[in-house]
Amino acid sequence: MRKKPFGQEVMSQRRPSASPSSTSSFEMLDMEAAPAPYQEVQPHWFFCRRADDSTSWQPFSLVDSVKLESVYRSSWDILVAVDGERYDVHINERKRYAVYWEQAPTEVRRCTWFYKGDKDTKFMPYSEDFSQSLEDAYKKAITKDEWKTKLEFPTGETVIIHNPKLIMQYQPIFAQDEWVSSPSESTRPRTVKRGVDSIIVDIPDGEPDNVDHLVFMVHGIGPACDLRFRSIIQCVNDFRSASLSLLSSHYKRAQQEDKIGRVEFLPVNWHSALHGDATGVDEDIQRITLPSISRLRHFTNDTLLDLFFYNSPTYCQTIVDTVASEINRLHALFKERHPEFKGAVSIVGHSLGRFSILHIITTKMMQEESNCQAQHDHLEEFLTQMDLQQYLTLLQAEDLDLESLVLCRDNDLKDLGIPLGPRKKILNAARRKDLSASDHNDNQSSGLVTQQSQLHRAQSVTSAVDYEHFDVGIGQVSIDYPQLAFHPQTFFAFGSPIGMFLTVRGLKRIDPNYTFPTCKSFYNIYHPYDPVAYRIEPMIVSDVDLEPMLIPHHKGRKRMHLELKDSLTRMGMDIKNNVLGSLRTAWQSFARLPVAALPPVEAGESSFPVSTEQPEQLQIKMGMLNGGRRIDYVLQEKPIESFNEYLFAIQSHLCYWESEDTALLVLREIYDKLGVAFDQPQQY
């Protein structure tokens, strides 16, 4: 089989086989009018996305494409930040690199010409060299008004420019792929288009530069986050896209008045650290795994064992350390790339990820003596205090100082040959020092530096869990829970087992006066059929049977089947009340009691102490865990889910990443605190 140029796959089409020289069938489409003068084609930049065995090309936003083209024309050898500065593009390498997470580089193209076979759903871009050849031939044809030009390429492909609107590509007859059923299929032509304006493709305008709020999203058990076995990165990408769409529809006025920018969502991946080479746990588990039902056992080892790991002091420490250090690393990197950012930070935890966050945000900041402010000002002193001065030369050889050490990851120090124990000490101590310096500078600028108010990191890696307002401790005694480099504004729990974990560990109630030491707002969000989710409010208010708050539909109404259910319930109540009213009247006649002996029934008032409408909920003091506001919020199930709640149980636990209702609740909590008005959505 002859090798084809990159991006040139053999496609099939419905037309019968045709020879490249058989152009008479297209002559009727020749344009009679004089062709327009030649205009240079406008390029648009695309990046390649590979998933399993499929390959697709996605357009950069209009804003990003303009930036890339500007740098390309200037011949600067620099990195260009794209996609909300979550990726960098190296123009000369034609590569797109992820900034915040580990991901293989993807190819980037400056695209001008596209092709599509009849079985393709989208147009694919030609390689840049192939496109340039087509553009040169097109320019010559339109300048000299010479059409039906045939271009033959060394690889055997033939392109015929019949006229400006009709350009076809033919594959060589002898170039047979294994799946081609007959020689005629290889000659079926492809449709060729010039310029991105001539094809159907959804090109976004681009994300706002200003970031109003930062949200870290921590995944639950296993490497996959939904039923499509997608990673946390892919799921957070969808959640971010949904939030951008909701901002355009529900905060349109604020956007038009330039009052808001956007909310940035960043994924926090801890599963790879637990199951990586550093712990060796996967290899140990594999040695004792039975050979039967291998696929199910592999799923169990890769997913369900995370629950057991969290209850193991050894691996629980790894999980909470990884979650905290990864959040702190992402936070420092985000501030480096967005120095103008002055907004608050929140955290989302899904499933088991929420419980690790719960323990982290319930740790108290420890006060230190005033002489701790002057500790390890230099790298040598910094390492000496931890008795790790033997690594000084190694770090200095890489031009690492304390500032750059904060941005290092575990793999960076591992590549330098530093063992696991020392590199964990170095990374955590460096980040504690960075936070201490930041707190010190902030306090100095506000004139609030006192011995009592200075908050610094303790010499140990972590701080103790606050048990003051709990009947019993909620954490494992042998675990040192790390601290974050910031105080989260809000903690959103998706499908949370927090209530169950606290209960089985002996916690009977939560003091209404209790608040998280480092986080003042908490939302427990769940789907009604989620088998992993549990409520929190009954642990605070146990003497009142209070229904959870129903999360509004993002289109501004209840789902139709829920409205119908409520209507039928009210209808049943009306019938019941009418029957009871008739029985009451009959009893009055039978007993011959004076009318005044019975309480009068006012017009529109029920004669039975059951209202047709849901009574307004009493003003219940919900405690301070969410600033006195409600904590439990339940999503509305979809109509198809209401037919069989067991069938959709697992899907319900994984639905939050694509839930627009959940995303809107998060946005409303964020922008309500910023004083930004919410546009009432159009009723559908």
Side-chain angles (χ1 to χ4, degrees), residues 459-563:
Q459 181 62 32
S460 63
V461 174
T462 58
S463 297
V465 175
D466 175 26
Y467 300 136
E468 180 179 355
H469 294 281
F470 291 103
D471 290 344
V472 296
I474 66 171
Q476 298 188 41
V477 177
S478 58
I479 301 301
D480 291 327
Y481 293 100
Q483 299 175 1
L484 298 178
F486 57 91
H487 287 182
Q489 175 177 283
T490 307
F491 173 34
F492 299 96
F494 292 174
S496 171
I498 289 177
M500 181 270 292
F501 268 82
L502 296 180
T503 301
V504 299
R505 290 187 178 181
L507 179 65
K508 296 181 180 180
R509 64 181 295 271
I510 300 175
D511 192 308
N513 295 320
Y514 176 76
T515 60
F516 292 134
T518 61
C519 182
K520 300 307 179 184
S521 297
F522 172 54
Y523 287 84
N524 183 39
I525 302 169
Y526 60 92
H527 189 283
Y529 302 154
D530 188 340
V532 181
Y534 291 82
R535 294 193 61 185
I536 295 294
E537 290 176 347
M539 301 184 71
I540 303 174
V541 183
S542 57
D543 55 344
V544 178
D545 186 12
L546 196 62
E547 292 292 325
M549 292 292 290
L550 186 68
I551 299 177
H553 193 275
H554 66 280
K555 293 184 178 179
R557 56 163 173 76
K558 275 189 177 180
R559 293 187 184 272
M560 185 175 298
H561 71 288
L562 294 179
E563 292 179 347

Side-chain angles (χ1 to χ4, degrees), residues 60-345:
F60 284 102
S61 68
L62 291 173
V63 173
D64 289 341
S65 183
V66 169
K67 288 195 299 184
L68 292 170
E69 183 65 17
S70 176
V71 174
Y72 168 80
R73 292 181 179 274
S74 65
S75 301
W76 293 340
D77 187 14
I78 61 174
L79 292 175
V80 181
V82 296
D83 294 332
E85 297 198 23
R86 295 180 297 274
Y87 290 88
D88 286 334
V89 171
H90 196 293
I91 297 291
N92 292 346
E93 295 180 3
R94 295 295 197 273
K95 294 293 184 181
R96 172 175 170 262
Y97 297 91
V99 173
Y100 295 103
W101 51 81
E102 294 183 1
Q103 180 179 331
T106 55
E107 184 182 354
V108 170
R109 280 186 189 173
R110 181 176 182 265
C111 303
T112 53
W113 286 78
F114 305 84
Y115 69 90
K116 184 173 78 71
D118 71 328
K119 291 186 178 180
D120 295 332
T121 58
K122 297 181 179 179
F123 277 89
M124 298 281 286
Y126 283 111
S127 66
E128 295 186 35
D129 291 340
F130 200 98
S131 296
Q132 187 59 51
S133 299
L134 292 176
E135 183 65 20
D136 292 341
Y138 178 85
K139 180 179 181 180
K140 180 179 179 181
I142 199 171
T143 302
K144 297 184 177 181
D145 197 19
E146 296 177 353
W147 301 105
K148 301 182 182 62
T149 304
K150 182 188 297 185
L151 285 78
E152 295 183 351
F153 292 85
T155 51
E157 285 88 352
T158 300
V159 175
I160 300 180
I161 305 178
H162 297 282
N163 58 56
K165 295 296 182 66
L166 181 59
I167 306 173
M168 307 298 292
Q169 177 193 350
Y170 299 86
Q171 298 296 103
I173 297 178
F174 53 81
Q176 294 280 333
D177 280 338
E178 294 179 356
W179 55 271
V180 177
S181 60
S182 65
S184 62
E185 289 190 22
S186 64
T187 61
R188 293 178 180 177
R190 292 173 173 172
T191 302
V192 180
K193 294 292 184 180
R194 177 179 181 264
V196 72
D197 294 336
S198 62
I199 65 174
I200 299 176
V201 60
D202 184 17
I203 301 178
D205 293 333
E207 301 178 16
D209 293 331
N210 184 40
V211 178
D212 302 320
H213 199 92
L214 174 61
V215 180
F216 295 111
M217 309 193 81
V218 185
H219 67 84
I221 61 174
C225 294
D226 62 4
L227 292 180
R228 288 181 281 173
F229 297 96
R230 297 185 304 164
S231 67
I232 178 66
I233 298 173
Q234 294 170 303
C235 290
V236 172
N237 286 343
D238 276 358
F239 197 91
R240 186 189 305 110
S241 298
S243 73
L244 290 171
S245 177
L246 290 169
L247 286 177
S248 299
S249 58
H250 291 68
Y251 290 88
K252 186 175 182 179
R253 181 181 303 173
Q255 280 190 336
Q256 292 174 344
E257 297 175 355
D258 292 330
K259 292 183 178 180
I260 64 172
R262 62 183 174 90
V263 177
E264 180 61 277
F265 297 88
L266 295 180
V268 179
N269 184 5
W270 56 264
H271 182 271
S272 58
L274 178 64
H275 293 265
D277 296 335
T279 63
V281 64
D282 283 1
E283 184 178 350
D284 296 336
I285 293 294
Q286 187 59 39
R287 286 200 300 266
I288 61 176
T289 301
L290 301 182
S292 59
I293 53 174
S294 58
R295 292 186 179 180
L296 180 57
R297 295 188 190 277
H298 175 74
F299 172 79
T300 301
N301 291 348
D302 207 30
T303 303
L304 299 182
L305 280 181
D306 287 347
L307 292 172
F308 298 99
F309 288 153
Y310 196 79
N311 286 305
S312 163
T314 301
Y315 297 112
C316 179
Q317 188 69 65
T318 300
I319 292 176
V320 295
D321 284 348
T322 302
V323 170
S325 62
E326 181 66 2
I327 291 178
N328 287 337
R329 181 190 70 85
L330 292 172
H331 182 253
L333 185 55
F334 178 84
K335 290 198 302 181
E336 178 187 353
R337 296 181 67 89
H338 298 268
E340 75 287 350
F341 176 73
K342 302 299 181 182
V345 184

Side-chain angles (χ1 to χ4, degrees), residues 382-442:
F382 171 74
L383 295 173
T384 301
Q385 292 196 7
M386 294 184 293
D387 197 23
L388 297 175
Q389 59 270 24
Q390 64 268 33
Y391 300 108
L392 176 62
T393 304
L394 191 62
L395 296 176
Q396 288 179 339
E398 299 293 331
D399 291 331
L400 287 173
D401 54 17
L402 288 180
E403 183 178 356
S404 57
L405 202 57
V406 176
L407 303 177
C408 287
R409 304 180 63 178
D410 184 78
N411 287 340
D412 297 328
L413 299 187
K414 182 180 178 181
D415 292 340
L416 297 179
I418 300 178
L420 175 62
R423 66 175 182 261
K424 288 291 186 181
K425 292 181 180 179
I426 292 173
L427 290 175
N428 282 283
R431 286 159 189 158
R432 290 198 310 272
K433 177 175 174 57
D434 179 66
L435 178 63
S436 298
S438 176
D439 289 342
H440 177 67
N441 293 335
D442 291 343

